Amino acid sequence: MTTTSGPSQQVASASGATIATGAPVAGAGTTEHQVADPFDVRLALRASPLLRTFNVAGLLSAADVHVAQRLGRLARETDETVLLAVALAVRGVRSGSVCVELDDAATLTAEAEVEREPGSATEPTTLDLPWPDLAAWRAAIERSPLVAVGPIGHADRPVRWVDGRLYLDRYWRDEQVVRDSVDARLAAPALPVDAAVVRDAVRRLFPRAEDERQRLAAATCAVSTLTVLTGGPGTGKTTTVARVLAILQQVTGTRLRIALAAPTGKAAARLREAVQLEVGRLAPEDRAGLGELEATTIHRLLGWRPGSSTRFRHDASRRLPHDVVVIDETSMVSLPLMARLLEALRPQARLLLVGDPDQLASVEAGAVLGDLVRRPPTGQGPVPALAAVLPDSTAPVGGDRTALRNGVVRLTVNHRFEGAELTALAAAIRDGRADDTVDLLRSGHPSIEWVEVDATLTPAHLTGLRDDIRSAGLTLLTAAREGDATAALHALEAHRLLLAHRRGPAGVAHWADVAESWVAEAALAEATSAEAAADQAGPWPLGLPLLVTTNDRDTGLFNGDTGVVVADEAGSRVAVFGDPDRPLRISPHRLPAVVPVHAMTVHRAQGSQFARVSLVLPPAASPLLTRQLLYTAATRAREAVRLIGSEEAVRVAVGREIRRASGLALPR
């Protein structure tokens, strides 16, 4: 594969065609939640004949096979069809599902792409594999000593079979924790409040006619222990959170213990910044009541337990002390983490889940926010109590009333009038309107740029991308030389290059090298040789953008946090992270595992926003092209988005939804 080291060199294709030399483009890489690497095909050498067939075909990884066979040996299960089902359940978790639905198993396709002969397409197809007879397969599973059958089946078996779905037992148990906790909160009696006080507070803080859904959300939070606040970009979710907290403070009449949290450190920093900004606009008495609100990661909120990555200091036996817990970016929260959070909440504590269910789901198993939004109501939820506390101008009707039975309020009015075109693009993608998406991309509006590449991606296609990367990189380097941590962290958010894949010619590994070379060339062109040598001296070059890849309690850094290396007062180097106005400074030798972040996957970008975003699409044949991926990438941009790829790739992405197997959205 060819990479760039300058503007005149050739660039590997990312649009699904060929590089400038006419050489074929290899298949794309994997997303971060996938364990199997399509460029590293590994076979389970000791697999039984049936599992070997599925392994060789690429549907099962070696790890899937090994786990299934290991469990089979422990339970003395020799039926290959049962072990196949277990391996598929392991595969499901690896790809983000909670279980495998046996009726749909035969429609599964290999996620791994392989290099084809020159000129041929790389397309996932329904595999022609020796699937077991469904009735016989079900019967074998139900009599297996490896499998607990039904909700009250054996508690000591590692696999569970419920209503045609096969789970690894721990994920089934986590699903039940979430289901039972949510149902209990929705069925609980309304919280005792003064209806007149609620009405007045809601009317005062949400006075406009277009604030109807915000009033619904505030009233729901007042009377219920569970509210799910959803909406797309620019609909005012964070503004609503700040004002809802002020309303709750007034309604309860006491100083509430409030926790703000998000799945990543970056998302937590953005939550704190946005909420505090809105609190600063409130009346003095509201500001005084709320005080200085902080935000943290969910992991830190629950408290680390030494020696465990799945259990926390706060749990069912040691509850969180907070009266109100707000979780932002809930679409990123996995099923196990949501289960641990719900276990740790006091029954009377209010929980406000905030997020966009149309974004990519967690990189781990589960799509909890989407399931909670889609699940059929099991009761009336907070609806009966709302009539007494809502202002006369607000009344839930139709679909709003149905959603409210699950505590769900969706904000729909966009308040970012300067970004109307970006909002329209996001809505077209979200709704699956491919023609409208293409029309908006071709509109020529300054906030939307489409570099349409049908056959060959050449250096000429990359002029705008190269200019943005160089400009952002030079701004970052200048701030780093001056030791200006605030300016450096702001520069880090000026532009971000996003990819669907980690590896391959359309992946982060390749494009990060390209971006780094562009920044290095620009830096050399504007600096003296002495300055350039000083910038690059030592293992931590000035202006190096960093991405944390693990959680580290000692430094307070978490997986997904981004930072940059800057000069310090002593003339040495320090890495700065977090809020630009309150940067966290860490000596490089104390850093946890980090990697340069000249480019990142769309998954990694969740919870972050950038002034400008560039998305390089993989080939149209990539199985990772989905509506959620395109929507998530487009909504990372505050001011402008650039898309590089073919019309075919765009249409494939808009037309394909991610489906994660789960029982949470289904009735009992």
Side-chain angles (χ1 to χ4, degrees), residues 138-324:
R138 283 172 170 265
I141 289 171
E142 290 177 356
R143 65 173 176 262
S144 173
L146 187 59
V147 180
V149 178
I152 59 173
H154 296 76
D156 59 348
R157 295 186 178 182
V159 184
R160 189 167 297 266
W161 171 254
V162 181
D163 297 331
R165 302 185 301 275
L166 194 68
Y167 297 80
L168 298 181
D169 190 68
R170 59 170 288 194
Y171 291 96
W172 177 80
R173 292 182 182 278
D174 285 342
E175 186 174 279
Q176 300 316 298
V177 168
V178 174
R179 181 194 295 274
D180 292 344
S181 179
V182 166
D183 288 349
R185 287 177 172 273
L186 293 173
L191 294 171
V193 293
D194 186 318
V197 174
V198 175
R199 283 196 300 271
D200 291 345
V202 169
R203 191 182 293 114
R204 178 173 65 86
L205 284 161
F206 294 112
R208 301 178 304 172
E210 60 265 33
D211 290 341
E212 182 177 25
R213 290 173 185 254
Q214 282 84 347
R215 289 193 288 272
L216 280 174
T220 302
C221 283
V223 300
S224 175
T225 57
L226 175 66
T227 305
V228 182
L229 181 65
T230 72
T235 54
K237 296 189 295 295
T238 310
T239 298
T240 301
V241 167
R243 291 178 177 262
V244 164
L245 293 176
I247 289 170
L248 294 179
Q249 189 69 62
Q250 181 178 341
V251 167
T252 59
T254 59
R255 188 63 177 262
L256 293 172
R257 292 167 294 184
I258 298 170
L260 305 179
T264 67
K266 185 67 174 178
R270 283 189 58 240
L271 173 63
R272 178 201 167 274
E273 180 182 5
V275 168
Q276 280 298 135
L277 180 64
E278 186 59 30
V279 168
R281 297 169 177 161
L282 299 177
E285 61 271 22
D286 293 319
R287 293 200 304 271
L290 290 174
E292 186 77 13
L293 295 173
E294 297 294 336
T296 186
T297 64
I298 301 173
H299 288 83
R300 173 156 282 194
L301 174 67
L302 293 175
W304 294 97
R305 178 177 288 182
S308 175
S309 61
T310 59
R311 295 291 171 179
F312 300 91
R313 185 164 54 88
H314 290 289
D315 55 22
S317 63
R318 187 178 182 180
R319 309 276 192 172
L320 288 165
H322 303 93
D323 304 303
V324 181

Side-chain angles (χ1 to χ4, degrees), residues 622-637:
S622 168
L624 301 187
L625 272 176
T626 65
R627 185 179 306 170
Q628 288 90 339
L629 179 127
L630 192 57
Y631 175 85
T632 302
T635 55
R636 297 311 90 203

Side-chain angles (χ1 to χ4, degrees), residues 36 57 71 142-143 152 198 228 387 410 460 477 544 555 575 593 598 608:
L71 292 176
E142 290 177 356
R143 65 173 176 262
I152 59 173
V198 175
V228 182
R410 181 157 198 155
L477 179 57
L544 179 67
T555 59
H598 296 286
S608 300

Side-chain angles (χ1 to χ4, degrees), residues 223-592:
V223 300
S224 175
T225 57
L226 175 66
T227 305
V228 182
L229 181 65
T230 72
T235 54
K237 296 189 295 295
T238 310
T239 298
T240 301
V241 167
R243 291 178 177 262
V244 164
L245 293 176
I247 289 170
L248 294 179
Q249 189 69 62
Q250 181 178 341
V251 167
T252 59
T254 59
R255 188 63 177 262
L256 293 172
R257 292 167 294 184
I258 298 170
L260 305 179
T264 67
K266 185 67 174 178
R270 283 189 58 240
L271 173 63
R272 178 201 167 274
E273 180 182 5
V275 168
Q276 280 298 135
L277 180 64
E278 186 59 30
V279 168
R281 297 169 177 161
L282 299 177
E285 61 271 22
D286 293 319
R287 293 200 304 271
L290 290 174
E292 186 77 13
L293 295 173
E294 297 294 336
T296 186
T297 64
I298 301 173
H299 288 83
R300 173 156 282 194
L301 174 67
L302 293 175
W304 294 97
R305 178 177 288 182
S308 175
S309 61
T310 59
R311 295 291 171 179
F312 300 91
R313 185 164 54 88
H314 290 289
D315 55 22
S317 63
R318 187 178 182 180
R319 309 276 192 172
L320 288 165
H322 303 93
D323 304 303
V324 181
V325 174
V326 179
I327 304 297
D328 197 19
E329 297 289 352
T330 308
S331 64
M332 300 168 62
V333 180
S334 67
L335 176 71
L337 186 57
M338 182 61 75
R340 302 293 81 76
L341 173 68
L342 290 169
E343 285 176 332
L345 289 176
R346 293 183 300 129
Q348 67 272 31
R350 290 176 169 91
L351 174 63
L352 175 55
L353 301 176
V354 184
D356 187 344
D358 299 305
Q359 289 186 18
L360 286 166
S362 163
V363 296
E364 299 177 56
V368 178
L369 181 63
D371 286 344
L372 294 182
V373 170
R374 290 190 302 270
R375 70 195 301 250
T378 57
Q380 290 300 309
V383 172
L386 288 175
V389 299
L390 279 172
D392 295 338
S393 59
T394 301
V397 295
D400 286 339
R401 187 179 182 88
T402 300
L404 275 169
R405 292 166 62 190
N406 277 338
V408 177
V409 180
R410 181 157 198 155
L411 304 183
T412 57
V413 178
N414 186 271
H415 300 282
R416 291 182 189 165
F417 300 108
E418 73 280 4
E421 292 75 18
L422 288 177
T423 300
L425 176 63
I429 296 168
R430 179 196 66 209
D431 298 340
R433 294 182 276 119
D435 289 342
D436 290 345
T437 300
V438 169
D439 289 344
L440 285 164
L441 288 171
R442 287 178 175 156
S443 65
H445 192 275
S447 63
I448 301 174
E449 179 186 352
W450 186 11
V451 181
E452 192 171 351
V453 183
D454 290 326
T456 301
L457 182 60
T458 66
H461 290 118
L462 302 175
T463 301
L465 174 63
R466 184 169 56 243
D467 289 347
D468 272 350
I469 288 176
R470 285 178 168 176
S471 175
L474 287 177
T475 302
L476 187 66
L477 179 57
T478 299
R481 285 172 179 164
E482 296 172 353
D484 190 338
T486 297
L489 288 171
H490 279 303
L492 200 60
E493 298 179 352
H495 175 267
R496 186 54 50 90
L497 172 58
L498 302 181
L499 292 306
H501 298 281
R502 286 187 299 160
R503 299 182 179 87
V508 169
H510 164 70
W511 282 96
D513 289 343
V514 173
E516 185 176 10
S517 70
W518 285 339
V519 173
E521 289 169 356
L524 283 173
E526 63 90 34
T528 65
S529 57
E531 287 176 327
D535 292 342
Q536 299 298 313
W540 299 99
L542 285 177
L544 179 67
L546 300 172
L547 173 70
V548 178
T549 60
T550 187
N551 296 324
D552 184 69
R553 287 172 288 171
D554 294 335
T555 59
L557 295 176
F558 295 87
N559 190 1
D561 287 351
T562 55
V564 60
V565 177
V566 303
D568 66 8
E569 295 82 355
S572 186
R573 309 286 164 93
V574 64
V576 294
F577 294 84
D579 186 344
D581 296 324
R582 301 191 311 173
L584 175 65
R585 298 172 180 269
I586 305 292
S587 176
H589 77 271
R590 293 185 59 228
L591 288 174

